[in-house]
Amino acid sequence: MALLAGFGFVLGLATGSFISVCIRRWPVGMSVISPGSHCPDCGILIAWRDKIPVLSFFLLGRRCRYCSRPISWRYPSVELLNGAVWAALAARDGGGPEFWKHAIFASMMIVLLFTDLDRRILPDPVTLGGLGLGLVFSLVVILPAGPVGLAVASDSVPWGPRAASLAESVLAAAVFGGLLWIVGEAYYRMRRVEGLGLGDVKLIAMVGAFHGTAFGALVLVAGTLAAAACGTFYLLLAGKPWDHPIPLGSYFAGTALVALFAADAVLNLYWGLVLG
């Protein structure tokens, strides 16, 4: 287990370095491939020795080697967060397909959390790309049969486990994405103000595609409640008007990260209370 956790941590650090680039570039329409990693202030390309995750940040004294401008704490923070999540997932899931599914999903959630916090943008390469990946993974890692999956699995149709898993993935994405879109559309028609972006719709559809009905419902409900509670506290504390935008996508993404580790316990507790 310790070896797997160490493997996950090192791989997560390296991946965290890449997703830091995604967080900075995707919201402003830049490619994450070209140009190579460079200082955002002086524009000079960064040498390989200055791109070692976390370590280079401190060896450089938290400043660019060339222009001495401060390097944001965001970079090592994202790398460490991603490394810690990947380590925990590797220790729990092993190194098989389930680990890769959860690890890729977690990194995508980290990207969305920060891009929405920074610029109120949920990039399509992550949300729509993640939606497609979720559908593919449903054929590799079989989803538990939630209410949506059970609704289409009748005795008269020869559903195999992979087909039922794909159906669960497709329909969970459609149900939760559609539900959020209806809420946003209804708000716009009543107020003539956009209260919900399509990025949030795509994000929650992606969550449903990756994890199915129960997980998607948990993220939708818990993320909305967290946004309402924390958002209200922030607006009151900062003296902002009630129509000040709240990064709902960040709350969904953060809730989804926590749910990767807590969903089973929360859902088991819920069904235990409901069913007595």
Side-chain angles (χ1 to χ4, degrees):
M1 183 179 292
L3 185 62
L4 280 171
F7 165 77
F9 183 68
V10 172
L11 196 57
L13 284 180
T15 308
S17 183
F18 172 70
I19 68 173
S20 290
V21 175
C22 297
I23 290 168
R24 185 171 71 86
R25 294 191 184 188
W26 265 333
V28 294
M30 291 179 63
S31 167
V32 298
I33 305 299
S34 178
S37 296
H38 59 278
C39 173
D41 292 303
C42 66
I44 297 178
L45 291 177
I46 300 172
W48 69 266
R49 66 182 182 276
D50 294 336
K51 294 191 287 188
I52 303 170
V54 181
L55 184 60
S56 290
F57 176 79
F58 291 102
L59 289 177
L60 288 168
R62 298 176 291 176
R63 293 184 177 276
C64 172
R65 180 184 294 274
Y66 307 103
C67 68
S68 297
R69 291 289 184 90
I71 301 171
S72 172
W73 279 94
R74 168 71 55 79
Y75 295 100
S77 300
V78 168
E79 291 164 356
L80 285 170
L81 174 60
N82 199 68
V85 171
W86 279 46
L89 290 171
R92 185 191 69 184
D93 299 337
E98 191 170 6
F99 162 73
W100 290 106
K101 169 185 171 176
H102 292 153
I104 291 170
F105 177 80
S107 292
M108 287 180 160
M109 290 299 108
I110 291 172
V111 171
L112 294 172
L113 191 157
F114 285 105
T115 59
D116 200 37
L117 274 179
D118 280 351
R119 295 179 179 270
R120 303 296 189 269
I121 292 174
L122 297 166
D124 283 347
V126 185
T127 54
L128 293 181
L131 176 59
L133 273 177
L135 298 176
V136 172
F137 268 119
S138 72
L139 295 170
V140 180
V141 180
I142 304 302
L143 290 173
V148 175
L150 292 173
V152 299
S154 67
D155 293 336
S156 60
V157 181
W159 292 93
R162 295 189 191 282
S165 180
L166 178 60
E168 175 72 12
S169 177
V170 170
L171 292 174
V175 166
F176 294 120
L179 178 63
L180 206 59
W181 179 83
I182 289 171
V183 170
E185 185 67 12
Y187 183 88
Y188 176 78
R189 290 182 180 278
M190 287 188 295
R191 301 286 302 275
R192 291 299 171 185
V193 175
E194 186 177 290
L196 192 67
L198 282 177
D200 300 309
V201 173
K202 298 169 191 173
L203 191 163
I204 206 66
M206 169 190 171
V207 171
F210 257 93
H211 296 288
T213 306
F215 190 102
L218 176 62
V219 171
L220 179 60
V221 173
T224 301
L225 291 175
C230 297
T232 299
F233 180 75
Y234 166 74
L235 294 178
L236 291 173
L237 189 66
K240 300 288 185 180
W242 289 108
D243 59 354
H244 184 78
I246 297 295
L248 181 60
S250 292
Y251 288 99
F252 284 151
T255 302
L257 274 177
V258 174
L260 275 176
F261 301 98
D264 287 344
V266 172
L267 291 170
N268 288 337
L269 176 63
Y270 171 77
W271 288 117
L273 293 173
V274 170
L275 301 176

